[in-house]
Amino acid sequence: MSHLFDFSYHNPTQIHFGPSSFSRLAELIPRDARVLLLYGGGSILANGIHARVRDALGDVEVVEFGGVEPNPTLETLARAVDVVRARQIDFVLAVGGGSVADGAKFVACAALYDGDGWDIVSGRHQPVAALPVGVVLTLPATGSESNAGAVVTRAATREKRVFYVPPARPRFAILDPQVMSSLPDRQLQNGLVDAFMHVCEQYLTTPVGALVQDGYAEAVLRALKTLAEDFANRHTPAWRQNMMWAANQALCGIIGVGVPQDWATHRIAVELTALYGLDHGRTLSIIQPWLLRETIEAKRAKLGQLGCAVFGLPAADAEATIAALEAFYRGLGMPVHLADAGIDDADAAERVMQALRAHGNAALGGHAELDDAKTWRIVHAACSR
């Protein structure tokens, strides 16, 4: 029987894109709102974005909370929740990249929940309400500005979890590519790979005849590949706006509707961040080539399709596609083995497997039928010296 699409799709996030988008803030947030302005390490103070946001908000009451980490922790976000409750905040505005947007979603839900905030992250509590959230995006990568997903780490136990909170999906997102002018190359490289991998996880499964979904995925992948090859022009307006829009489209939800998905690379890679503090994008480039080699037979057809449609290979060759992917990551200066990231730990593979087993991710199943043995071979190949 042929594969039948079966889905409901609704993305209510209103996106304002371009140089004039900041001016829309004044109409998007109620004038009588008490706003929590949530941000990261303080770069928005140095690059002028903070001043632009405050100017755009005018006389709206604003309470600021900075210090959200690149991998937001439960511990930091819990303090933000305390501020929301104490100051009777009724709107959360995230100004930053995906981590700040993720943190805003958690804060918006946890502020209305009397239990342990980790219940939301772990899935023990599914919120049915949240404070309204808006995002001013400063780093394109995750697509979190217009989806319902988030990632939060509990530092005390080194657990990093993905969770979904539809009530906290951002009401709006401000996307002005000009804000990318101050971003370091490392963040742009990470963003490219993160977005590219988001599409791969929705595409590299098995053929189901999804002409629109496959075609859209391939278009976004080609765009990201072109941007990587044209990295020398990363400071031009054309490069920035294409990067910001491609990263958004990679995970706004439309590519994966009704088709098989496989998020095994992400679910394994998160342990490298939790254990070693590696950038998310770099953990993905470390794990994916080895995962594809281990699961090549299950993914052979789509790998061949990817090679031809995106990398321009003359024939559908899964092995050649994996080599092209690895070369793509190396060309961006991204690691494809844990040692490439400067991690020298003889016990790394065992540590990662121990964490995966503890978190229930050692046997992920899926169309590639990932079991503990296959996952061990992936981790050992990617992490062993």
Side-chain angles (χ1 to χ4, degrees):
M1 182 178 180
S2 62
H3 179 83
L4 299 179
F5 302 152
D6 187 7
F7 64 86
S8 297
Y9 178 70
H10 177 223
N11 191 333
T13 302
Q14 185 178 32
I15 293 177
H16 297 281
F17 192 103
S20 64
S21 56
F22 268 73
S23 65
R24 306 299 294 271
L25 274 174
E27 66 190 63
L28 293 168
I29 297 178
R31 307 317 299 165
D32 60 350
R34 290 183 296 277
V35 177
L36 182 75
L37 198 163
L38 192 74
Y39 61 93
S43 61
I44 66 167
L45 300 172
N47 60 22
I49 294 174
H50 177 272
R52 290 181 64 189
V53 170
R54 291 303 301 260
D55 286 347
L57 290 174
D59 58 0
V60 169
E61 183 180 345
V62 176
V63 176
E64 298 190 10
F65 187 95
V68 177
E69 304 91 342
N71 292 289
T73 65
L74 176 75
E75 290 82 353
T76 295
L77 297 176
R79 296 198 299 273
V81 171
D82 290 341
V83 171
V84 168
R85 291 171 174 167
R87 302 293 295 272
Q88 297 183 309
I89 297 296
D90 50 27
F91 199 105
V92 182
L93 180 64
V95 182
S99 293
V100 178
D102 288 359
K105 294 172 190 176
F106 172 84
V107 169
C109 292
L112 303 182
Y113 177 56
D114 291 334
D116 184 347
W118 189 249
D119 291 346
I120 297 171
V121 181
S122 65
R124 285 191 291 270
H125 171 71
Q126 186 59 53
V128 296
L131 296 176
V133 174
V135 176
V136 176
L137 187 68
T138 63
L139 171 60
T142 70
S144 186
E145 68 276 3
S146 64
N147 65 45
V151 182
V152 167
T153 298
R154 182 159 60 180
T157 56
R158 293 187 175 183
E159 291 178 84
K160 183 177 180 180
R161 297 283 189 92
V162 179
F163 59 103
Y164 296 89
V165 281
R169 183 192 292 267
R171 305 284 181 90
F172 66 81
I174 302 295
L175 276 63
D176 179 0
Q178 294 179 115
V179 305
M180 297 167 61
S181 61
S182 63
L183 292 176
D185 288 352
R186 184 181 181 99
Q187 289 186 325
L188 294 174
Q189 293 160 345
N190 286 337
L192 268 167
V193 170
D194 196 9
F196 192 91
M197 203 71 66
H198 287 156
V199 184
C200 285
E201 302 277 65
Q202 300 169 85
Y203 172 87
L204 277 179
T205 55
T206 188
V208 295
L211 299 179
V212 172
Q213 293 93 323
D214 278 3
Y216 201 3
E218 290 161 5
V220 177
L221 289 169
R222 284 193 298 270
L224 291 165
K225 177 176 175 289
T226 298
L227 291 168
E229 293 168 344
D230 195 33
F231 198 72
N233 288 316
R234 60 196 177 279
H235 299 304
T236 64
W239 195 98
R240 290 173 184 159
Q241 68 184 8
N242 278 293
M243 176 60 200
M244 184 165 271
W245 188 234
N248 175 274
Q249 293 297 283
L251 200 57
C252 68
I254 193 65
I255 287 173
V257 292
V259 300
Q261 301 184 29
D262 181 0
W263 291 87
T265 297
H266 274 75
R267 294 178 73 178
I268 295 172
V270 294
E271 303 299 352
L272 299 183
T273 296
L275 289 168
Y276 300 106
L278 289 176
D279 305 2
H280 178 57
R282 282 164 160 72
T283 68
L284 296 172
S285 63
I286 289 169
I287 294 296
Q288 192 208 37
W290 305 102
L291 181 142
L292 294 177
R293 291 185 177 101
E294 178 62 35
T295 61
I296 191 167
E297 294 308 324
K299 298 179 180 289
R300 183 172 291 279
K302 289 302 286 282
L303 277 167
Q305 185 177 332
L306 173 70
C308 294
V310 177
F311 288 96
L313 300 182
D317 185 329
E319 287 83 1
T321 300
I322 295 171
L325 280 165
E326 200 166 60
F328 170 67
Y329 300 139
R330 287 191 184 279
L332 271 173
M334 302 293 280
V336 294
H337 190 278
L338 189 61
D340 297 340
I343 304 299
D344 182 17
D345 181 1
D347 298 319
E350 187 54 48
R351 293 183 198 277
V352 173
M353 277 305 298
Q354 183 178 2
L356 286 166
R357 288 170 180 144
H359 301 150
N361 287 329
L364 292 168
H367 78 287
E369 298 181 350
L370 271 182
D371 56 18
D372 190 282
K374 290 179 180 178
T375 302
W376 165 250
R377 289 194 291 269
I378 294 166
V379 171
H380 189 267
C383 299
S384 294
R385 289 189 298 190

